[in-house]
Amino acid sequence: MKAGVLLGGFLFIGAAYGGLSAAAPSPDAVQKLVDARVAHYKEIGRAAKAIHDELGQSQPNLPSIESNARVIEQRARQIPSWFPRGTGQQPGVKTEAMPVIWEQFPTFKQRASGLAGAAHQLAAAAATGDLASTKAAFGNLGGACKACHDTFREKK
Amino acid sequence: MLWDLPVRLIHWSLVVLLAALWWTWRTGRTEFHEQLGYVTLGVLLFRLYWGVFGSATARFGQFVKGPRAIAAYLRGRSSPQVGHNPIGALSVLLLLGAMLIEVGVGLFAQDLDGIEAGSLAQYVSYDTAEAARAWHALLFNMILAIVALHVLAILFYLVVRRDNLVGPMITGRKGFAEEVEPPSMAPLARALIGVVLAAALSWWVSRGFRL
């Protein structure tokens, strides 16, 4: 009986603690999430650089551009899911994600889908084998990155 | 004639370029910033050429002095300085060296999105290009500090030593109280050769060493 009360007490405390930590995750937990999304963004950056470098070649490898564009498109579609509420700037967390992301989340989502769309266009252009339209599509992709960063990423 | 036309043009174009490079970066005009970077590289390369083949007051071999000459100058035990004094020589080396490194690092740097990048970034990894961007930003602040030191030194000479160094850098001429040997000036045709060489090399770099 006594043991049951004790166990119940522990369970209650544990549940309360769990509830609290769900309401306000520790800075460490938030930072882990931030680091994960930074790693994802770096994947996009790496793919963008690979495309940029390929376009600098005298004979760019268009299939390689296409596959890198698909990586960007796939990642770009996930972007809104990397930004749950409460993962912005706060004490103990280092992130360039500005509060305006959550104040204007529909716009933020729109910009992310703009990037996915630009990457999709780029992959399609590369698939046709036309270098001029591929280059133009890559320019649009850069514009899509910038359009979001200008508003939502802290300038350093 | 103390400073020939090439030296003065190099000096003031670097002043303008530094300001323009800062402005184009600050306002997100990355492509323009890159183009100006290649121009700056050309100017710096030409300065190196002129430091070997140029007029007497432009040659590194003439004005770069060792510690003994620097100490003698600081104690005021040296003949009137026609051209850079031994301390000014250090300032020249520091400024040119810092700008060369800054431009060199910039060639490997990429912007935040991996869309715009220096012409040589294609030869390094994403992480190296990222590191280059960080260094490029840090070095710029060091250049600002060196420029501030340079301007303070000019002010010191103007106010304390009653020696206006800015005028001669504009007109090229300077009067001396004592009789001094006028420095020998290199022919401008030789400068033209240097301009062509520096421009060609900088263009080649801007193409990522592709023709």
Side-chain angles (χ1 to χ4, degrees):
Chain A
M1 178 67 197
K2 220 173 183 185
V5 170
L6 251 176
L7 185 67
F10 277 130
L11 280 177
F12 176 76
I13 291 166
Y17 185 77
L20 264 179
S21 66
S26 71
D28 280 356
V30 175
Q31 189 66 56
K32 272 214 180 81
L33 223 141
V34 167
D35 292 347
R37 80 180 167 222
V38 167
H40 284 321
Y41 269 115
K42 278 189 194 285
E43 282 178 61
I44 294 178
R46 280 198 177 86
K49 181 179 190 298
I51 296 169
H52 180 269
D53 293 351
E54 204 56 63
L55 286 172
Q57 304 279 350
S58 46
Q59 307 235 295
N61 179 342
L62 289 170
S64 142
I65 292 177
E66 188 191 342
S67 72
N68 276 303
R70 298 238 180 269
V71 170
I72 297 177
E73 182 188 357
Q74 185 215 347
R75 285 300 180 206
R77 297 211 183 282
Q78 302 168 346
I79 287 176
S81 73
W82 302 340
F83 290 85
R85 200 167 272 281
T87 61
Q89 296 172 334
Q90 54 197 282
V93 175
K94 254 183 72 180
T95 173
E96 291 162 18
M98 301 220 294
V100 69
I101 291 174
W102 295 277
E103 288 157 17
Q104 302 177 10
F105 207 73
T107 314
F108 180 73
K109 272 173 90 165
Q110 209 174 27
R111 296 278 159 82
S113 101
L115 174 63
H120 186 83
Q121 296 285 327
L122 174 57
T128 64
D130 181 43
L131 188 57
S133 63
T134 305
K135 280 187 171 165
F138 183 61
N140 291 339
L141 182 81
C145 295
K146 199 170 144 48
C148 194
H149 287 166
D150 281 351
T151 323
F152 297 109
R153 181 179 187 170
E154 186 182 13
K155 279 194 185 55
K156 286 217 292 186
Chain B
M1 179 69 76
L2 179 66
W3 307 120
D4 61 8
L5 188 63
V7 164
R8 283 176 283 148
L9 280 178
I10 291 166
H11 179 270
W12 295 112
S13 62
L14 285 175
V15 174
V16 173
L17 281 167
L18 201 62
L21 282 160
W22 172 80
W23 178 77
T24 49
W25 169 74
R26 194 72 231 183
T27 55
R29 292 169 166 82
T30 317
E31 223 167 317
F32 193 15
H33 179 86
E34 274 176 59
Q35 304 297 329
L36 287 177
Y38 302 126
V39 174
T40 311
L41 175 66
V43 172
L44 291 170
L45 289 172
F46 173 61
R47 183 62 187 89
L48 292 183
Y49 166 91
W50 206 236
V52 178
F53 302 106
S55 304
T57 49
R59 293 194 182 197
F60 299 121
Q62 298 271 334
F63 65 76
V64 177
K65 298 277 162 62
R68 203 169 305 166
I70 293 172
Y73 175 74
L74 285 177
R75 281 192 230 103
R77 272 183 231 146
S78 52
S79 46
Q81 301 293 322
V82 183
H84 297 295
N85 66 53
I87 297 284
L90 294 182
S91 175
V92 172
L93 290 187
L94 208 58
L95 275 163
L96 286 180
M99 282 190 276
L100 268 169
I101 296 172
E102 175 69 336
V103 170
V105 171
L107 292 173
F108 295 94
Q110 65 186 8
D111 73 347
L112 283 172
D113 317 323
I115 301 293
E116 290 293 335
S119 61
L120 304 185
Q122 57 182 308
Y123 300 117
V124 300
S125 71
Y126 175 85
D127 294 295
T128 306
E130 285 286 293
R133 184 178 72 236
W135 280 103
H136 196 57
L138 184 74
L139 277 161
F140 178 73
N141 287 329
M142 288 175 64
I143 288 177
L144 283 188
I146 299 171
V147 167
L149 190 68
H150 174 59
V151 171
L152 279 177
I154 304 290
L155 278 172
F156 169 79
Y157 276 90
L158 184 68
V159 176
V160 180
R161 307 281 300 261
R162 304 267 159 213
D163 191 357
N164 178 359
L165 303 181
V166 180
M169 193 45 84
I170 295 169
T171 64
R173 289 169 197 290
K174 183 178 172 106
F176 286 91
E178 305 146 65
E179 191 80 16
V180 294
E181 178 99 14
S184 74
M185 294 285 127
L188 280 180
R190 208 188 289 163
L192 271 180
I193 297 172
V195 167
V196 171
L197 286 175
L201 186 53
S202 145
W203 178 80
W204 195 38
V205 170
S206 80
R207 304 266 307 165
F209 296 123
R210 275 182 239 270
L211 290 176

